[in-house]
């Protein structure tokens, strides 16, 4: 049993309560533990990715109950990659939050942050549909706390909307899971795959409703049009470092779609055939387009970054909704890119916001304007999918993968035109914020300072440069990464290894932990007839 | 015979619940509504007890016990709200 | 030198100027120059091989899955362009060192310039069209930075954005074109593509690919109708214009057409699109140039015109035309770069570029005048300068070109363009330098230092030398380049005198006409200015503004902040796709019999429905709706009991009470009524949506309830193993703490986080200005006396230990009977909340010894530690263990790790509920409230006080 | 002795809780008793701060008699109320508030009296006076309010005074 | 009986959705509560309806049990939605106290300048 | 014999319970003044459920052959809490619908507790503004 598999969930789940229990009044120690946890998570994630890289699927049977009866965690190439992505992003964001002093502007930041990581990690690793719901809720509720961190009227108002929208989503999730369970009698994803594939035709109507509702749940998370409405206001009004962490949240939705709709409800499974072909791809394209328009139409840098995230989600979902191994590989490549890019853009937006406020307009020249503008330029390139960064490669991969699809001209047109509109928007914003300021009549020595003097400005820059550097590295290493992505996509479309590994133990007999008594189901009865654990039994002292 | 008695009791408490509902909807006084809700809890306890007896199980005992305790708390909470606005002060 | 290194050197060099700027401007320029020089030297090491007709390759895989490789190759065409880029680049670096002022951030300038240079070298040496695309877009980006270099100038920002938009658009189109091209050819490697002319030209996709690629090339090379960005790019510092807009970037489009000439040219489509565009651009550029008063604008339109010329030649599709195109590329680069630099010098010295404010500079700036004169005459196509040679070739080729049956159209228009070309060239010289010296120059013009005029002078020398000795000087270069362009070995004749050819007559006519035009210039200028004509910039900005407004309209219109609408859209969308999913599947007949409806369920249903309906009708009275919600909760709980789920009933009712308390606490601070805000139609719409969704869910539930599972449920396993493997008879509890303990672990964390969030929120709110509001808040309702009645206090005191006892009972029995840590936790929490309600916040909080955060934390940690404990047995997280212990004289009893896990649940729930409620209650906390006494009215205490008073 | 006091702050409470536990468990056994006693000691110890003043009972055994009286009265009360509700028209019913002056002083005793009044024939404790020297009692049907007050004082308050003071 | 349960689910859902489409935070929260009831009963009903057969093992009788799994799931769901409700109530209160307005819809307030 | 007696007890208590349960709720509807309405449910419903619990108690005695203390426990809970409930609801009525002069004199004290003003019952003075 490889306990490393559960470490990404358990580690933050231990650090967070420890922080609230013992370190509530010691921000320095909180930071030490939080960063240490993130570093350790990164190390663990690297180890897990290395383990998964050869294609073996590992299963962790929680409570020693075999699938499909208990909950299992499953490590394969895809989940390992997502865990690694989360860990690295988490490390970056926590460092930035420290450097910018954001973590001190409200209570419980680090504990919530660790819980947030725990929820995301769990969502990526779990092999059980209901457990996925639980982890969704963990990551959501932590995100509610982080979203309103620091307080403020607009943030609270946006917070209400964010929570309400997601609560509707959670309700839908439960409707979906209930429907699936009512038909198949199982919750384990691999088992669902087996059962859905063998489903009698007479049950498809109900199952399909469940399947589609589940898809919508993930689509909400992923911010697919017209279910994306929660995103702009939430991200733009959240503390922007938190929004940077949220960059991974849309990917949780994308991941879940990729996982469930290749493993369980793949288009080649009769019961799921034709579920979403008609509308998913158009919706994804609309998402990309609306996101791009949003970038161009934004009046505020937080919104700009948020719509940037939406347009990249559109591109990502476009790739996913093609449901071919090539497109899935492209999507997997694009996921990492778009996560880092969106995060970097949010962090840079925070730098701007802290120094001169959020509106996209000329303000007196801010401190570190040159460096920030350079970082913005690089992040904008990545966001718009311009060369030489990975966004360009990702877009090329998506376009290439869409080539044989009936809607290929649409895909190409929308993605390319969205890119253009995004470029327009980013250029417009960048010139207004960074260039136009120089045209203002301000005293020579005037420099707009950050309203909240940050504890360590250097750390914030190091973090952002680090993230962008990672993007550069990711671009250079595109070849090996794509090999991994292609192998991952191949795994997704050939689900046998996953299913067989997860369900390998389903017929394992159950041992009674208490051997001495195992000869009888209700051993108490052997000792004393009337202490049988019925309403009047004696086992209440089991403490 | 016993079954008829239980059936009678069922019917009485069911009817009582409906009367409570009537009161809650059409009462002029909010205090009457709270009172009706409190009575509902009491009637519910009776129904749970009856149901447990009918099924010959004590599994529902906890539910009745807790309802007795919680009905009280929620009634007090509602009333306190009307009295002071603030239920914890 | 490796091609990789040559392409990489400018990029590496780009790192230094920015870093070296502290070391001074010279160091900065030197570093930049050194990088260019090294690359140039590296390039020249390949010269012998190139002239020998060899092609040099360098390959490395990058993203083979896509067919994107970092493959470079160097042939004649690449060599020519790389030479131009690097050599003129060197001259520009030198020139810029003296041109830029002290205020200009020179480090940035050289960094951008070298980035641009690297991108250009990359374009011309790429052997992979995807790689070429990358460099292509990089030129757009770096030129954006260069054009907008003077960021304080609005023209600079606008020009930069315009250039980026137009060329970026072309680049994106080209991506599509290149992907199609590569798809047809089966490879993205240029050397492979060039072998596939037949396949490409016979493909159905040839035309779309051609159009998309040409869109890229035309935008980059400022061909009509995309020419308008180039003049606006003149807002850049002059070195940038001289580099980008004469020699390099704008030639990238030409390079691309030349590069793909072997596979794309030769078709009718190619001819009519490319040649016509080139012809129109050539004429239009020349005409407009004549009427530009800004020296740089004049040169910019001249460039447009010359780019059109070259494009037209490439469009002719003949080998001879290709030779002419190549030759003119060289010539144009030399004279135009020189002219731009000259214009820059004039601007630098006279502080204006407006021709109308210049004239007579010949006397003040003889050196500059000489350079301008030579280069200008070359631009005009006057012998013996190099411009004349290539223009003659153009006219000659035009004279023999038939356009859709018309023999005259092309030669006539070409001659006309040449005529205008002569006119604006002469105007450039005459109106700037000739004529009388003026007194009103904004600056004090005189010849600049050597550093500034060295570069144009050198280029002017080339203009002359190539003109006089074209064959020996550039013949071989033109030859190898033409070979590369045509993929064949065309004959290259470069001579000054061709005899009395049609071209000569056309040329002569052009010169005479040009002089005439110049004489009529004042009159023509007035006519031109009076004539209505579309202003490209206005159109472009109009489109952009329109698009931006549209974007803003769509964005604001869709995301108007109305979550009510977002939610409605979500519900409707969900409904629509669900109906689609349902109708595209099949539903079998019911497999279950409907259960009979007894009295109890009927009454329950009625209560539930009526209560729900009343909530809808009366929801504006918020307190009343909370009472009604209480009914719903009660009925739901009873239903769970009735339907064999006692655990659920317990949980539901306890959660219900805590929720109500929470909502009442919140409602205290909120309006007590909801106003009517939505018009009836909206309410009707919402009602429709709600009813549709309700009917949908009800139908789904009914369909599901009437059919059995399709497969045996996994819960059969849970039933079979709950006692044997889990040690408990309450299957639900065993599932919660054992089979699916991980869910429960997550669930308590959710609860803990909820409390933490609420706490953090309270802190945030109380730290804001809201605190003052709360302290001064007047109760919005009648306050009855006696906040803490004695009867209640006494009863809750007795109840609290009993309730805790009940909690303990529920906790321990949970594994076998309804109950468990969660419900026990709620009851324990409620027992404490009772104290808060009865005896007051201050009194109770003061007596509460355990910090709630700590209780939550310890709960989660206990649960986690229980889970981790399993590792010591080398079994997975949360594996439970239980055993039976026998201590005399007691009977045997069970010890289970699941109970420990449940203890964690218990603690987390207690902590979370109390922290949440306490946080909320803090809003109402007013300083000065007596915390010593729980009971407001206590005669015993008063008697005691009275006695003490009497005694004292 | 002090330590014992500290550890067992409320011996009656411990006794009551142990009995409660046995009633909850619903079957007497040694295990239950031991565990019940354990909890009965633990819970008062933990909740000690919430009940700082131990109520002193002068004659605890009288409590049993009192409870018996009250239980009987409750049963009777219900028949009286039933009769009034069912057969007495609202117009003939004479509801009234009466003031019951208090001789008892401790909150526990007053609470017990208030509770008793509510549960017994036709009366409900509604309020206490501002200094705690009188109870406001509502009578469902009180043609003679003075006699109601007298009954309350003699039948319940006197006994409570004996038990508590 | 199935009809009663199914229609109750539908009614709760419909009422919940209607209230969620109101403009003030309080009715929206009420709506969420109603929707949650609907969801929980739905999830519970996936085990199909059984009376008098709680999933508590009984040694003395060979009896059928109600499906325990949906019950466990609903329990988890109830707890989670309780946490969520608490949070949303609190955020709504904070928003109201900060803005003195409990309208759930946000309106645009910033009009940033145009770029030249 | 014993069983028959138990059966009779069960029937009697079940019927009584039902009767009083119904009566409590009926009284809530019938009685015409708010404080009088308090009497019916607090006493009658409590007795009704008490009778049902006793029926259940005898049932388990008669059929499961052991007494059940659970019912008694619930009954005790109800008896202890009902007065508090009644007290609070009465206070609501007093505070909302009566003035001091509507009620009999509180004797030596000045007011009934519910009518006390905030300053008088130990609360912090309400700050204005
Ligand atoms: Na267990
Ligand atoms: Na349980």
């Amino acid at each position: 049993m490889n306990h490393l598999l559960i470490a990404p969930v358990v580690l933050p789940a231990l650090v967070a309560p420890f922080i609230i229990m013992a370190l509530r009044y010691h921000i320095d120690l909180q930071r030490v533990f939080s960063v240490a946890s993130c570093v350790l998570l990164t190390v663990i994630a690297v180890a897990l990715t290395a383990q998964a890289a050869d294609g073996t699927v590992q299963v962790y049977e929680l409570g020693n109950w075999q699938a499909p009866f208990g909950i299992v965690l499953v490590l394969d190439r895809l989940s390992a990659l997502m865990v690694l992505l989360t860990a690295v992003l988490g490390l970056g964001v926590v460092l930035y939050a420290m450097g910018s002093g954001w973590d001190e502007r409200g209570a419980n930041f680090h504990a919530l942050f660790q819980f947030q990581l725990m929820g995301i990690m769990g969502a990526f690793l779990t092999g059980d549909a209901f457990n996925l719901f639980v982890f969704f809720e963990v990551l959501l509720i932590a995100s509610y706390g982080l979203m309103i961190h620091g307080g403020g009227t607009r943030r609270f108002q946006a917070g209400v909307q964010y929570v309400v929208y997601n609560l509707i989503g959670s309700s839908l999730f439960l409707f979906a899971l209930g429907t699936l369970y009512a038909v198949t009698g199982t919750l384990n994803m691999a088992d669902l795959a087996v059962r859905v594939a063998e489903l009698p035709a007479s049950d498809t109507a109900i199952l399909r409703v469940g399947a589609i509702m589940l898809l919508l749940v993930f689509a909400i998370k992923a911010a697919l049009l017209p279910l994306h409405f929660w995103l702009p206001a939430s991200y733009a009004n959240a503390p922007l470092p938190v929004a940077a962490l949220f960059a991974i949240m849309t990917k949780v939705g994308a991941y879940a779609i990729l996982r469930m709709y290749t493993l369980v409800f793949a288009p080649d499974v009769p019961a799921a055939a034709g579920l979403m072909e008609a509308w998913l791809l158009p919706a994804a394209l609309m998402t990309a387009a609306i996101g791009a328009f949003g970038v161009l139409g934004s009046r505020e840098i937080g919104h700009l970054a948020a719509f940037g995230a939406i347009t990249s989600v559109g591109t990502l979902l476009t790739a996913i909704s093609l449901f071919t191994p090539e497109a899935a590989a492209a999507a997997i490549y694009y996921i990492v890119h778009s996560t880092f890019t969106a995060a970097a853009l949010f962090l840079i937006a925070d730098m701007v916001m802290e120094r001169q406020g959020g509106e996209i307009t000329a303000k007196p020249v801010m401190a570190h304007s040159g460096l920030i503008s350079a970082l913005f330029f690089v992040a904008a390139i990545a966001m718009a999918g311009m060369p030489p960064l990975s966004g360009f490669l990702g877009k090329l991969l998506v376009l290439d993968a869409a080539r044989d699809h009936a809607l290929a001209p649409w895909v190409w047109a929308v993605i390319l035109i969205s890119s253009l509109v995004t470029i327009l928007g980013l250029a417009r914003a960048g010139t207004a914020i960074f260039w136009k300021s120089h045209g203002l009549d301000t005293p020579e020595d005037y420099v707009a300072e950050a309203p909240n003097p940050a504890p360590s400005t250097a750390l914030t820059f190091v973090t952002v440069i680090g993230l962008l550097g990672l993007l550069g590295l990711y671009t250079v290493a595109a070849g090996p990464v794509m090999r991994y992505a292609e192998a991952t996509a191949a795994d997704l479309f050939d689900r046998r290894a996953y299913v067989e590994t997860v369900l390998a133990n389903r017929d394992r007999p159950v041992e009674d932990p208490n051997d001495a008594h195992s000869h009888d189901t209700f051993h108490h009865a052997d000792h004393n007839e009337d202490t049988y654990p019925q309403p009047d039994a004696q086992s209440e002292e089991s403490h | 015979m016993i079954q008829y008695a239980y059936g009678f009791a069922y019917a009485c408490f069911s009817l009582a619940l409906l009367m409570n509902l009537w009161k809650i909807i059409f009462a002029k006084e909010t205090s009457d509504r709270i009172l009706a809700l409190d009575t509902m809890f009491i009637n519910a306890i009776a129904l749970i007890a009856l149901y447990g007896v009918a099924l010959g199980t004590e599994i529902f005992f906890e539910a009745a016990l807790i309802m007795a305790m919680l009905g009280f708390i929620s009634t007090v909470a509602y009333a306190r709200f009307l009295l002071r606005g603030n239920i914890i002060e | 030198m490796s091609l990789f290194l040559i392409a990489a050197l400018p990029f590496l060099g780009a790192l230094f100027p920015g870093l070296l700027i502290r070391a001074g401007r010279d160091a900065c320029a030197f570093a930049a120059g050194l990088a260019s020089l090294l690359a140039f030297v590296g390039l020249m090491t390949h010269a012998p091989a190139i002239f020998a007709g060899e092609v040099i390759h360098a390959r490395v895989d990058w993203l083979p899955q896509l067919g994107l490789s970092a493959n470079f190759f160097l042939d004649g065409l690449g060599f020519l362009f790389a030479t131009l880029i690097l050599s003129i680049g060197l001259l520009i670096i030198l020139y810029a060192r003296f041109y830029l002022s002290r205020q200009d951030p020179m480090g940035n300038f050289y960094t951008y310039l070298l980035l641009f240079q690297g991108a250009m070298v990359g374009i011309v040496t790429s052997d992979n069209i995807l790689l070429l695309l990358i460099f292509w877009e990089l030129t757009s980006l770096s030129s954006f930075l260069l054009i907008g270099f003077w960021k304080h100038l609005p023209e600079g920002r606008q020009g930069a954005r315009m250039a980026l938009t137009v060329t970026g658009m072309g680049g994106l189109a080209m991506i599509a074109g290149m992907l199609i091209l590569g798809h047809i050819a089966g490879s993205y490697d240029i050397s492979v593509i060039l072998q596939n002319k037949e396949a490409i030209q016979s493909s159905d996709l040839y035309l779309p690919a051609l159009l998309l690629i040409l869109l890229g090339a035309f935008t980059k090379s400022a061909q009509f109708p995309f020419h308008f960005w180039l003049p606006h790019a003149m807002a850049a510092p002059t070195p940038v214009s001289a580099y980008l807009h004469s020699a390099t970037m704008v030639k990238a489009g030409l390079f691309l057409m030349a590069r793909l000439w072997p596979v794309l040219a030769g078709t009718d489509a190619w001819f009519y699109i490319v040649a016509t565009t080139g012809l129109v651009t050539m004429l239009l550029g020349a005409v407009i140039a004549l009427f530009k008063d800004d020296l740089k604008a004049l040169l910019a339109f001249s460039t447009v015109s010359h780019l059109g010329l070259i494009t037209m030649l490439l469009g002719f599709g003949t080998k001879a035309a290709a030779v002419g195109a190549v030759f003119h590329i060289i010539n144009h680069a030399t004279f135009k770069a020189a002219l731009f630099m000259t214009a820059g010098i004039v601007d630098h010295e006279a502080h204006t570029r407006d021709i109308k404010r210049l004239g007579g500079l010949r006397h003040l700036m003889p050196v500059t005048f000489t350079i301008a004169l030579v280069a200008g005459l070359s631009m005009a196509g006057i012998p013996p300068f190099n411009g004349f040679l290539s223009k003659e070739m153009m006219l000659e080729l035009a004279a023999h070109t038939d356009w859709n049956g018309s023999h005259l159209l092309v030669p006539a228009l070409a001659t006309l363009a040449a005529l205008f070309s002569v006119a604006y060239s002469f105007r450039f010289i005459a109106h700037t330098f000739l004529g009388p010296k003026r007194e009103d120059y904004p600056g004090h013009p005189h010849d600049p230092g050597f550093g500034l005029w060295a570069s144009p002078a050198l280029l002017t020398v080339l203009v002359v030398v190539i003109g006089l000795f074209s064959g020996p000087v550039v013949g071989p270069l033109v030859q190898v380049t033409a070979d590369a362009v045509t993929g064949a070995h065309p004959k290259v004749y470069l001579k000054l005198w061709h005899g009395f050819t049609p071209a000569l007559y056309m040329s002569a006519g052009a010169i005479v006409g040009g002089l005439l035009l110049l004489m009529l210039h004042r009159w023509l200028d007035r006519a031109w200015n009076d004539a209505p004509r579309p202003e490209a910039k206005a159109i472009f900005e109009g489109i952009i503004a329109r698009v931006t407004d549209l974007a803003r309209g769509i964005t604001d219109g869709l995301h108007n902040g109305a979550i009510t609408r977002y939610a409605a859209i979500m519900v409707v969308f969900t409904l629509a796709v669900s109906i689609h999913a349902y109708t595209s599947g099949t539903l079998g007949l019911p497999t279950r019999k409907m259960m009979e409806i007894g009295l109890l369920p009927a009454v329950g249903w009625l209560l539930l429905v009526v209560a729900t309906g009343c909530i809808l009708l009366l929801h504006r009275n918020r307190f009343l709706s909370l009472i009604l919600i209480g009914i719903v909760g009660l009925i739901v709980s009873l239903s769970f009991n009735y339907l064999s789920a006692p655990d659920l009933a317990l949980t539901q009712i306890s959660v219900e009470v805590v929720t109500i308390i929470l909502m009442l606490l919140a409602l205290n601070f909120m309006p007590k009524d909801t106003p009517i805000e939505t018009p009836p139609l909206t309410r009707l719409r919402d009602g429709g949506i709600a009813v549709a969704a309700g009917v949908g869910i009800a139908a789904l539930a009914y369909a599901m309830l009437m059919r059995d599972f399709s497969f045996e449920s996994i819960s059969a396993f849970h039933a079979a193993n709950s006692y044997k493997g889990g040690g408990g008879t309450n299957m639900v509890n065993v599932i919660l703490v054992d089979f699916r303990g991980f869910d429960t672990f997550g669930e308590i964390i959710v609860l803990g986080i909820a409390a933490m969030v609420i706490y953090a929120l309270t802190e945030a709110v109380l730290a804001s200005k809201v605190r003052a509001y709360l302290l001064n808040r007047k109760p919005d309702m009648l306050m009855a006396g006696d906040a803490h009645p004695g009867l209640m206090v006494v009863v809750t005191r007795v109840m609290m230990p009993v309730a805790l006892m009940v909690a303990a009972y529920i906790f321990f029995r949970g594994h076998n009977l309804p109950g468990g840590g969660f419900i026990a936790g709620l009851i324990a929490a409620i027992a404490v909340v009772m104290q808060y309600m009865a005896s007051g916040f201050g009194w109770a909080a003061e007596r509460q010894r355990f910090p709630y955060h700590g209780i939550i934390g310890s709960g989660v940690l206990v649960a986690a530690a229980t889970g981790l404990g399993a590792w010591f047995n080398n079994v997975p997280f949360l594996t439970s263990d239980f055993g039976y212990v026998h201590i005399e004289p007691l009977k045997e009893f069970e010890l289970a790790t699941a109970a420990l896990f449940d203890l964690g649940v218990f603690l987390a729930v207690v902590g979370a509920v109390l922290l949440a409620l306490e946080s909320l209650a803090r809003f109402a906390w007013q300083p000065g409230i007596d915390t010593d006494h729980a009971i407001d009215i206590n005669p015993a205490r008063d008697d005691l006080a009275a006695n003490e008073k009497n005694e004292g | 002795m002090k330590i014992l006091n500290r550890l067992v702050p409320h011996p009656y409470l411990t006794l009551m809780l142990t009995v409660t536990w046995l009633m909850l468990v619903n079957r007497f056994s040694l295990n239950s008793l031991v565990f019940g006693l354990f909890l009965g000691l633990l819970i008062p110890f933990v909740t000690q701060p919430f009940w700082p003043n131990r109520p002193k009972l002068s004659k605890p055994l009288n409590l049993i008699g009192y409870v018996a009286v009250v239980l009987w009265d409750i049963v009777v009360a219900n028949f009286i109320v039933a009769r009034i509700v069912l057969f007495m028209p609202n117009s003939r019913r004479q509801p009234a508030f009466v003031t019951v002056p208090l001789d008892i002083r401790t909150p526990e005793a007053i609470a017990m009296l208030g509770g008793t009044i509510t549960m017994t024939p036709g009366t409900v404790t509604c309020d206490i006076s501002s200094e705690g020297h009188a109870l406001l009692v509502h009578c469902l049907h009180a043609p003679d309010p003075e006699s109601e007050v007298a009954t309350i004082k003699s039948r319940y308050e006197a006994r409570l005074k004996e038990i508590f003071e | 009986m199935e009809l009663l349960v199914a229609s109750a689910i539908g009614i709760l859902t419909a009422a919940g959705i209607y209230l969620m489409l109101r403009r003030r935070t309080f009715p929206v929260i009420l709506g969420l509560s109603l929707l949650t009831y609907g969801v929980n009963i739905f999830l519970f009903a996936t085990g199909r309806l059984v009376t008098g057969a709680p999933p508590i093992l009984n040694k003395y009788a060979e009896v059928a049990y109600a499906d325990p799994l949906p019950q466990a799931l609903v329990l988890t769901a109830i707890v989670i939605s309780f946490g969520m409700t608490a949070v949303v109530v609190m955020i709504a209160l904070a928003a109201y106290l900060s803005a003195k307005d409990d309208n759930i819809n946000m309106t645009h307030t910033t009009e940033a300048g145009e770029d030249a | 014999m014993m069983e028959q007696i138990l059966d009779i007890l069960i029937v009697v208590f079940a019927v009584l319970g039902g009767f009083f349960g119904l009566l409590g709720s009926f009284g809530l509807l019938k009685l015409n003044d708010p404080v009088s309405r308090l009497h019916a449910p607090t006493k009658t419903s409590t007795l009704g459920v008490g009778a049902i619990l006793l029926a259940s108690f005898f049932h388990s005695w008669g059929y499961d052959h052991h007494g059940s203390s659970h019912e008694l426990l619930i009954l005790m809970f109800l008896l202890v809490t009902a007065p508090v409930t009644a007290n609070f609801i009465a206070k609501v009525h007093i505070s909302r619908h009566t003035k001091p002069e509507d009620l009999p004199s509180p004797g030596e004290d000045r007011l009934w507790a519910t009518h006390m003003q905030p300053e008088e019952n130990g609360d912090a003075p309400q700050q204005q503004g």
Side-chain angles (χ1 to χ4, degrees), chain C residues 647 730 733 736 814 817-820:
Chain C
D647 276 283
N730 179 358
N733 185 266
L736 283 174
L817 288 170

Side-chain angles (χ1 to χ4, degrees), chain B residues 2 6 8 12-13 16 20 22-23 29 32 35 38-39 43 46 53 58 61 69 72 75 80 82-84, chain F residues 7 10 15 17-18 22 25 28 37 41 45 49 52 56 59 63 70 81 84-85 88-89 91 97 123:
Chain B
I2 292 180
Y6 285 149
F8 172 76
C12 286
F13 281 102
N20 299 150
W22 179 274
K23 190 75 198 170
E29 302 293 328
D32 279 337
L35 183 60
D38 188 60
T39 315
N43 292 332
V53 175
E58 296 196 13
F61 156 65
M69 198 170 104
F72 158 69
T75 308
R80 264 209 76 124
L82 287 182
L83 283 171
R84 307 274 305 169
Chain F
D7 278 3
I10 293 169
V15 171
L22 188 58
S25 299
L28 189 56
R37 280 197 284 272
S45 292
V49 70
I52 294 295
S56 161
H59 191 108
Y63 290 86
H70 285 169
T81 56
V84 183
T85 314
F88 267 92
I89 295 171
K91 277 169 73 71
H97 299 289
D123 281 5

Side-chain angles (χ1 to χ4, degrees), chain C residues 726 738 815 880 882 898:
Chain C
D738 203 334
H815 211 43
S880 70
F882 59 90

Side-chain angles (χ1 to χ4, degrees), chain E residues 49-74:
Chain E
L49 305 182
V50 186
T51 54
I56 314 272
L57 287 173
N58 191 324
K59 155 84 174 173
Y60 297 119
E62 278 298 315
V63 290
Y65 300 109
D67 190 341
L69 188 55
Q71 295 192 15
L73 302 185
V74 175

Side-chain angles (χ1 to χ4, degrees), chain C residues 560 562-569 571-572 575 678-693, chain E residues 14 17-18 20-23 105:
Chain C
N560 63 349
I563 187 155
T564 46
R565 200 175 70 186
Y566 305 164
I569 292 173
V571 175
V572 170
L575 208 58
T678 42
L681 242 123
T682 312
R683 274 177 279 155
L684 195 68
R685 182 203 70 184
D686 294 345
I689 293 172
V691 167
Chain E
I17 289 175
Y18 179 78
M20 265 168 12
L21 301 179
R22 300 305 89 208
R23 299 234 173 121
N105 290 338

